Structures are given as C-alpha cells and as structure tokens.
Amino acid sequence: QVQLVESGGGLVQPGGSLRLSCAASGFTFHYYVMKWYRQAPGKEREYVAGVTSDGGRKSYGDSVKGRFTISRDNRRRTVSLQMNRLTVEDTAIYYCKAEGLGSTNEYWGQGTQVTVSS
C-alpha cells in the first residue's frame, strides 16, 4: 500500500522556521522524483520545491527561493522541506508528491497545515 505521510506542520510566527517531513512507503522510493506543493485557501495548488531521485538536483518555486531547502534521504525513504523566514503568505496546506521516473505513477500525501501568524 502506497503511503506518503507528511508531518511537521503547525503554527509559527512571521520570521520563524519549520521543517516538514514526508515519509514514504509502498513504492521504490529511490526511483521517484519528490516534490512539495502547497495550497492556500481560495488559491490554486502551487509548486514549492522538487528534488531528483538521487538528490543531485533541486528546484524551487520563485516565491520560496532562498528561504526553503528541500532534501531527501533514500535510505530512510524521507523527503524534507526546511522553511526559513516564513511569512503569512506561506500559510497553506503543504503536500508531498512522488513522481515515478519514466512512468505515469504519481502519489500524493494527505497534507500538513502550516500557519504563519503573529
């Protein structure tokens, strides 16, 4: 059974930091590109960050460049998102996504809420 389970969300003040994690099971993790997306109320889902299957390349959405860092641990089957200098505009549900290399397989987690507020 495929599972992506996000954790680490919560309430943080502007300027603070949070670290999200996504634990994967039920598929061959090191064959998958891993991505983070987010969706704020009333807005479309937005790409946040991605990392290649071997961790060698990373990409970021323009709104988070220089503040967020994505990483993965293929032995532990996890992908993380370190979020620094958070702003109220970062408030959203954050989702982990797995995309299979050379296939149409893709999986989503259930999401974790991040709220940035004073």
Side-chain angles (χ1 to χ4, degrees):
Q1 180 184 1
V2 171
Q3 279 194 312
L4 290 172
V5 180
E6 300 97 335
S7 61
L11 174 65
V12 63
Q13 292 187 341
S17 299
L18 277 177
R19 185 176 181 87
L20 306 183
S21 291
C22 174
S25 61
F27 62 97
T28 311
F29 184 73
H30 61 270
Y31 285 165
Y32 282 71
V33 173
M34 298 301 298
K35 297 181 178 180
W36 286 95
Y37 286 80
R38 67 186 183 185
Q39 188 165 20
K43 295 187 177 181
E44 293 188 353
R45 195 165 290 191
E46 174 190 15
Y47 174 77
V48 175
V51 58
T52 52
S53 57
D54 65 356
R57 284 181 294 159
K58 303 174 184 180
S59 65
Y60 299 92
D62 287 341
S63 61
V64 307
K65 280 180 183 176
R67 299 187 299 122
F68 290 12
T69 303
I70 189 171
S71 60
R72 68 186 293 162
D73 185 330
N74 282 352
R75 284 195 293 180
R76 295 184 178 180
R77 303 171 60 86
T78 59
V79 60
S80 299
L81 186 69
Q82 177 66 42
M83 306 186 296
N84 298 328
R85 292 185 280 137
L86 287 160
T87 73
V88 294
E89 287 73 30
D90 295 315
T91 295
I93 299 174
Y94 284 71
Y95 298 91
C96 175
K97 182 186 181 186
E99 295 180 356
L101 293 175
S103 80
T104 58
N105 292 346
E106 62 178 45
Y107 311 114
W108 288 90
Q110 83 290 347
T112 186
Q113 176 71 49
V114 171
T115 302
V116 185
S117 175
S118 56

